[in-house]
Amino acid sequence: MPTVPTDILIAGQWRRGAGEPLDTVDPATGRVLATVSSPSTAEVFEAAEAAARAAAEPAWRDLLPHERARLLHRIGELVEQSADELSALQTSDTGKTLAETRALALSAAGTFRYLAAALETAEDTLTPSRGPYVTMSVHEPIGVVGAINPWNSPVASDAQKLAPALAAGNAVLLKPAAWTPLVSLALGRLITRALEEYRLPTALLSVLPGSGRVVGDAIVRHPLVARIGFTGGTATGRSIAAVAAQKLIPASLELGGKSPTIVRADADLEQALSGVLFGIFSSSGQSCIAGSRLFVARGIYDSFVGELVERVRALRVGPGTDPATQVGPLVHHGHRDAVAAYVDLARSEGARVLCGGSAPEGERYRDGAYYLPTVLDDLPNTSRTCQEEIFGPVLVALPYDDEDDLVRQANDSVYGLACGIWTRDARAAWHLARRIEAGTVWINTYKQFSASTPFSGWKDSGLGTEKGRDAIRAYQRQKSLYWGTSAAPLPWAN
């Protein structure tokens, strides 16, 4: 494994924070990888004040958009060059497979490059005149942005907030999750290097790992922080939204999900089987967009679910460093126990456990945070197991009778993040996709992402949008300018 960073980035300087130390643990072995410092509340305030000064420095404030784009391109280049190191750190910290963490690192590089290209081609607007003046609309930075990310895909989540925020001309306070700070700190070193190469103030970025109650709350409440980007749980998102409303600042919130994945009777069953498996069990189910509710047409329900269960039993569980592993450990032993508690709840609600339902046995798994891929059925969609986000390798299967019944059940959720549809009928897919209440619908695929395509949640799954060309504008303020063209005096002139 590469060198583990333990210092944190406060106000442009790498140093030890004065807050509570954080033990980051390898979930495959239970071994402490490193003890990382965290900032005190005073150091968060120091970082915010330094960020505001850095954002106002002429070297950054007056940097032309195409010059900021060069910085983003350089960051993307450094991330790609460091993909193996970033991948190894994230696998050690999160338990994800090396194949997945390498893809996430390359995705982060692509996000910086895409936003650089979008910035190069961004245009302000000359609006139609309605009088003796010329009107135009311009976009300017917000100033200091708070970016708070979860533990499940840190490097990709970091890029989704850092790239548009920097492209827009802001400074950023980044708070990675306390369980998984290592790859965010490594990314911070790459961005600091790029800032130094371009002789820009390093205080434009602080990386501040720590608890949400201390570090996250200090970031959100600081008066200089004028925008929040948050990915995480819905309850925390509501609290952040309340503070943002009091401060009258914008916030984007990517929150929880309980996404339906739908197999119609006319689906390509082989494609659907592999897609359902990937949709829920990749990332060990630790994904906000995991297809955790499976709806299958009643006529094929028994045969489809039976074959699915056989394939789930054959999934290879192991450490993320093993190239053969398909399902790695969960991120933390505490989280593994929370997932196990949900399966116990499902049993109490009357579920059949078709496979899994426990931690794997054997010396290989003894010290790790492992949980077997699990399939449940015989539960109504109204059960807690079908309604609450488990965030682990747990799939609930339900039959449906017709499309109206399907849509009613699929939409009967407080969440509306994603959906998958498996069918050979393109017309049916179109109409069904339009009826589903979700921000993203995949048809005959799942968990595919593009930096150019907006991503958002409906209902309790979020507020605002990430990705796409407009991501830059979401981190800016709009200003209108009027240029008078008439030589005549205004009506009240003497």
Side-chain angles (χ1 to χ4, degrees):
M1 191 183 74
T3 303
V4 175
T6 55
D7 287 350
I8 60 177
L9 183 59
I10 304 172
Q13 298 177 340
W14 289 96
R15 67 184 203 234
R16 297 197 66 78
E20 290 294 319
L22 308 171
D23 284 340
T24 178
V25 176
D26 182 345
T29 65
R31 179 175 60 89
V32 175
L33 296 167
T35 299
V36 177
S37 64
S38 69
S40 65
T41 298
E43 288 170 326
V44 174
F45 288 1
E46 177 190 350
E49 290 156 9
R53 291 192 298 271
E57 282 192 28
W60 179 246
R61 183 194 64 207
D62 298 337
L63 199 64
L64 295 174
H66 73 279
E67 294 171 327
R68 289 203 304 273
R70 287 179 60 202
L71 172 69
L72 295 181
H73 272 297
R74 178 58 176 153
I75 295 170
E77 180 181 42
L78 292 172
V79 170
E80 184 171 19
Q81 291 172 356
S82 305
D84 289 342
E85 178 182 358
L86 296 172
S87 174
L89 277 173
Q90 191 169 3
T91 290
S92 298
D93 219 9
T94 67
K96 290 175 178 285
T97 66
L98 285 169
E100 181 177 354
T101 55
R102 181 173 174 78
L104 289 169
L106 294 176
S107 171
T111 297
F112 279 102
R113 286 187 171 129
Y114 172 78
L115 269 300
L119 181 58
E120 282 269 22
T121 57
E123 296 178 349
D124 282 317
T125 305
L126 194 66
T127 54
S129 175
R130 297 180 66 85
Y133 43 75
V134 174
T135 52
M136 63 185 303
S137 177
V138 297
H139 293 82
E140 298 181 355
I142 288 173
V144 181
V145 169
I148 302 175
N149 274 332
W151 44 259
N152 57 320
S153 297
V155 71
S157 296
D158 293 348
Q160 283 176 209
K161 294 178 177 60
L162 290 173
L166 292 172
N170 300 293
V172 187
L173 308 182
L174 171 65
K175 194 200 89 64
W179 282 351
T180 57
L182 299 184
V183 75
S184 299
L185 291 168
L187 177 62
R189 286 202 177 273
L190 297 178
I191 295 174
T192 300
R193 175 179 165 186
L195 290 169
E196 290 172 340
E197 288 177 2
Y198 284 89
R199 299 182 180 179
L200 295 169
T202 56
L204 287 167
L205 175 65
S206 288
V207 183
L208 308 169
S211 75
R213 290 187 302 275
V214 177
V215 180
D217 189 68
I219 290 173
V220 171
R221 294 183 183 277
H222 196 283
L224 290 174
V225 175
R227 190 197 192 281
I228 299 293
F230 171 77
T231 299
T234 298
T236 304
R238 289 187 189 280
S239 299
I240 290 172
V243 176
Q246 291 170 357
K247 293 174 64 178
L248 296 178
I249 64 171
S252 57
L253 310 171
E254 182 198 330
L255 308 177
K258 192 73 174 180
S259 299
T261 184
I262 296 161
V263 180
R264 285 172 44 94
D266 61 3
D268 179 327
L269 297 184
E270 184 62 33
Q271 187 184 51
L273 284 163
S274 63
V276 170
L277 282 173
F278 181 74
I280 178 61
F281 297 121
S282 60
S283 305
S284 301
Q286 300 169 117
S287 172
C288 56
I289 47 87
S292 52
R293 289 186 298 153
L294 171 63
F295 293 95
V296 183
R298 191 176 295 276
I300 62 169
Y301 180 84
D302 289 339
S303 60
F304 185 89
V305 173
E307 177 62 24
L308 179 71
V309 167
E310 291 303 310
R311 297 189 185 202
V312 173
R313 289 191 177 119
L315 291 173
R316 296 182 297 275
V317 178
T321 51
D322 184 343
T325 292
Q326 294 170 294
V327 180
L330 300 187
V331 69
H332 191 276
H333 291 74
H335 183 59
R336 189 269 311 276
D337 294 344
V339 171
Y342 260 112
V343 176
D344 290 340
L345 169 66
R347 289 188 175 100
S348 73
E349 291 183 309
R352 279 196 307 168
V353 180
L354 301 181
C355 63
S358 65
E361 298 178 351
E363 182 66 22
R364 188 186 198 202
Y365 307 111
R366 179 173 58 86
D367 297 322
Y370 294 97
Y371 200 81
L372 288 171
T374 299
V375 179
L376 311 170
D377 80 345
D378 269 5
L379 286 174
N381 188 52
T382 54
S383 67
R384 283 183 59 193
T385 304
C386 291
Q387 291 293 316
E388 297 178 15
E389 185 176 39
I390 297 174
F391 220 72
V394 180
L395 176 67
V396 186
L398 305 100
Y400 72 90
D401 293 310
D402 55 47
E403 185 169 301
D404 288 339
D405 172 46
L406 166 64
V407 171
R408 184 167 51 251
Q409 291 193 77
N411 289 340
D412 182 16
S413 170
V414 297
Y415 298 112
L417 193 58
C419 173
I421 300 171
W422 303 91
T423 178
R424 287 188 174 97
D425 187 332
R427 183 174 297 172
W430 169 264
H431 290 290
L432 181 55
R434 298 304 299 269
R435 295 182 70 186
I436 294 295
E437 296 171 352
T440 297
V441 178
W442 288 286
I443 299 167
N444 295 329
T445 188
Y446 206 86
K447 287 182 79 171
Q448 302 297 313
F449 284 110
S450 168
S452 63
T453 305
F455 179 76
S456 63
W458 292 18
K459 301 190 285 188
D460 284 7
S461 286
L463 178 70
T465 301
E466 290 191 330
K467 301 188 178 184
R469 292 179 60 90
D470 290 341
I472 297 173
R473 296 306 189 209
Y475 285 86
Q476 292 179 317
R477 290 180 286 206
Q478 196 167 12
K479 177 183 290 183
S480 296
L481 302 177
Y482 286 71
W483 295 74
T485 58
S486 174
L490 291 174
W492 290 356
N494 184 356

